[in-house]
Amino acid sequence: MKNMITTGDMAVFFTYFVIVTVYGYWVYRRKKKTATDTKDFFLAEGSLTWWAIGASLIASNISAEQFIGMSGDGYFVGIAVAAYEWIAAVALIIIAVWFIPVYLKNRIYTMPQFLKTRYNETVALIMAVFWLFLYVFVNLTSILYLGALAINGLLGGEYLHAVMIALSVFAVIITLGGMKVIGYTDVVQVGVLIIGGLATTYMALTLVSESFGLGHSALAGFNALLKDAPDHFHMILQKPDAASSQEYINKYLVLPGILMYAAGQWIVNLNYWGCNQYITQRALGADLKTARHGILFAALLKLMMPVIVMLPGIAAYVLQKNGHLPGLSSKDGAYAAILGFLPAGLKGLSIAALTAAIVASLAGKANSISTIFTLDIYHRYINKAASEKKLVWTGRLVVIIAMVLAILFTWRDLLGIGGEGGFTFIQKYTGFISPGVFAMFLLGMFWKRTTGAAAIAGVVTGFTLCVFFNQFAVTVFGHETLLYTAYPNGKGGYEIPFLICMGLAFMFTMIIMVLVSLTGPKVSPRAFALDASMFRVSPAAIVLIVTILLILSALYIRFW
């Protein structure tokens, strides 16, 4: 692995670094106000175009856990893992049409503000504190650790801490410029991410083609994948039976066939894209038309992400199966193994793509942490009389503190991210709370009777039931019930697929919230006023929605 980076690679990477830095500084100077206020710094109010919003959404979403983790799942399971990306496209359509109008009409700038406006301050404070801990100690740390680990591996494996600090400093520089700089530099970042990612996929497919004696052809390589690994090209895994191998059962536990489309897959995506400060913040400072088109643009980009983050994993599987990747020891090493075959220059482009994804995610997450702390805790409870200038500088200080905390906790992997795999780490700690949070937002937006007491009950119930179904249900109720089927996990026990656990927790949480709300007034005094005009969609948006759904339908029909 040593000396695999050439002078040409370093030149390509340095060019990327200079372009992003110079462009970010130009955006900062060109769009800087005489006096930066909170709406300008945290939301870039009115200044992000639809294409900047869409690109920023993708750049913030795609990071090391996708490149490394999803490529690893592509190696292990196959194309079925693309459901996380393709269902996200449908989720983004739902967010653009129904969620964003509610946020913008009620001038919502943060998710805790939504909870305060719709429910009460107690719910808002509880969730603000929770989100800060989640974003700093789960999301920020895992993005930083996985990113540094991936790039360090490509550099020879001796520079983990140096890479960690370099990524942090780069992200902080971008974040201190505010959401405008983040949004517009994300356009460059996502361009590098897509070009570098596609170059890696192209080389992976040509490697497969050459290994089968089919010449230097990416198309021939893809066809070879279809023929040599047909089991890796089914979106829907069949339910295991008595003859199923433990390996297949393990795949089903991760992606439980058609049932995940009736359960956790929707909760994961709708909660992530619609109830997540980190994501929605990009659209909250825009007008409805711009925000909606930006989100739909992101949905269109989402359709191509599996080509970048999943297909190299399937290529690695076929290459190893045929004896061309003897050194590959784990699924999470699949992407790095492919990068090892890239020629000089392309390795630098691929490292730039990885860096772009990591830095964009770090910057977006740090900005969200800063926004929630400054607007929902500092300004509301610590210093209500703070000036706009003081709030902005408080936000900048929080960015630095959050990044320092992330470095400290990832320095020796204090949270054990590397032990269980980064992608698993993130899904595990965010998935337990998703059913309750999504139920709270969904009923809060669209059912006027939902009460603050029901919101608190929903968060507690969702978390408790997720833990119960994941850890204790099999012991209490057995392996098979009307609600679920548990499968052997290869470790001497039985498990219910986690996406099914999330679906069950969400269903019962909704029931509990409805029952609690029925004890209150018929219309909550804090309910939002909704009207049909809020949800009208322009002809251009309709064309984009239909295009996305047609492409998605074709993909599912082809790879069902």
Side-chain angles (χ1 to χ4, degrees), residues 196-437:
L198 287 177
T200 302
T201 299
Y202 174 81
M203 290 305 301
L205 293 177
T206 56
L207 281 170
V208 172
S209 174
E210 290 171 352
S211 72
F212 279 86
L214 302 174
H216 193 80
S217 168
L219 181 60
F222 181 72
N223 289 329
L225 293 184
L226 292 173
K227 292 178 181 178
D228 197 66
D231 58 315
H232 273 54
F233 285 92
H234 292 292
M235 288 299 300
I236 309 297
L237 300 182
Q238 298 302 311
K239 188 175 180 179
D241 55 29
S244 298
S245 66
Q246 186 59 54
E247 181 182 13
Y248 183 82
I249 293 172
N250 289 343
K251 293 178 182 180
Y252 191 83
L253 287 171
V254 176
L255 295 162
I258 195 70
L259 288 177
M260 71 178 179
Y261 293 93
Q265 193 61 252
W266 291 106
I267 299 164
V268 167
N269 277 295
L270 288 170
N271 178 69
Y272 178 84
W273 294 101
C275 313
N276 184 352
Q277 181 72 30
Y278 173 49
I279 294 298
T280 56
Q281 188 163 336
R282 277 122 187 88
L284 295 181
D287 61 82
L288 179 57
K289 180 181 178 181
T290 303
R292 186 172 271 163
H293 287 179
I295 294 170
L296 292 176
F297 177 52
L300 190 62
L301 291 176
K302 254 316 188 179
L303 296 179
M304 69 182 294
M305 287 302 111
V307 175
I308 294 172
V309 299
M310 178 270 300
L311 207 52
I314 300 180
Y317 169 79
V318 169
L319 287 169
Q320 187 195 44
K321 178 183 174 183
N322 289 278
H324 299 289
L325 279 181
L328 181 56
S329 59
S330 70
K331 65 175 187 176
D332 283 345
Y335 196 80
I338 292 295
L339 292 184
F341 284 94
L342 297 184
L346 271 183
K347 287 176 189 170
L349 182 60
S350 295
I351 294 174
L354 260 177
T355 303
I358 295 158
V359 169
S361 295
L362 287 173
K365 188 65 71 178
N367 185 266
S368 295
I369 291 165
S370 172
T371 303
I372 290 177
F373 178 84
T374 305
L375 300 184
D376 294 302
I377 294 180
Y378 178 79
H379 190 36
R380 193 175 303 281
Y381 299 104
I382 299 173
N383 189 353
K384 294 183 179 181
S387 64
E388 290 286 303
K389 182 178 180 181
K390 188 172 183 62
L391 290 174
V392 169
W393 278 104
T394 299
R396 287 174 172 150
L397 180 61
V398 170
V399 167
I400 295 171
I401 292 172
M403 203 64 74
V404 169
L405 285 173
I407 291 173
L408 290 175
F409 273 79
T410 54
W411 196 260
R412 294 188 181 277
D413 192 15
L414 295 179
L415 298 179
I417 301 170
E420 57 182 323
F423 198 67
T424 302
F425 177 83
I426 293 172
Q427 299 305 316
K428 175 180 176 181
Y429 287 100
T430 57
F432 281 121
I433 199 71
S434 296
V437 171

Side-chain angles (χ1 to χ4, degrees), residues 19-47:
I19 289 173
V20 173
T21 304
V22 172
Y23 180 61
Y25 182 73
W26 178 80
V27 169
Y28 176 74
R29 298 297 302 176
R30 181 171 179 266
K31 295 183 176 289
K32 184 180 180 183
K33 291 183 178 180
T34 304
T36 302
D37 58 24
T38 51
K39 291 180 181 177
D40 179 66
F41 181 77
F42 294 116
L43 299 168
E45 188 171 36
S47 64

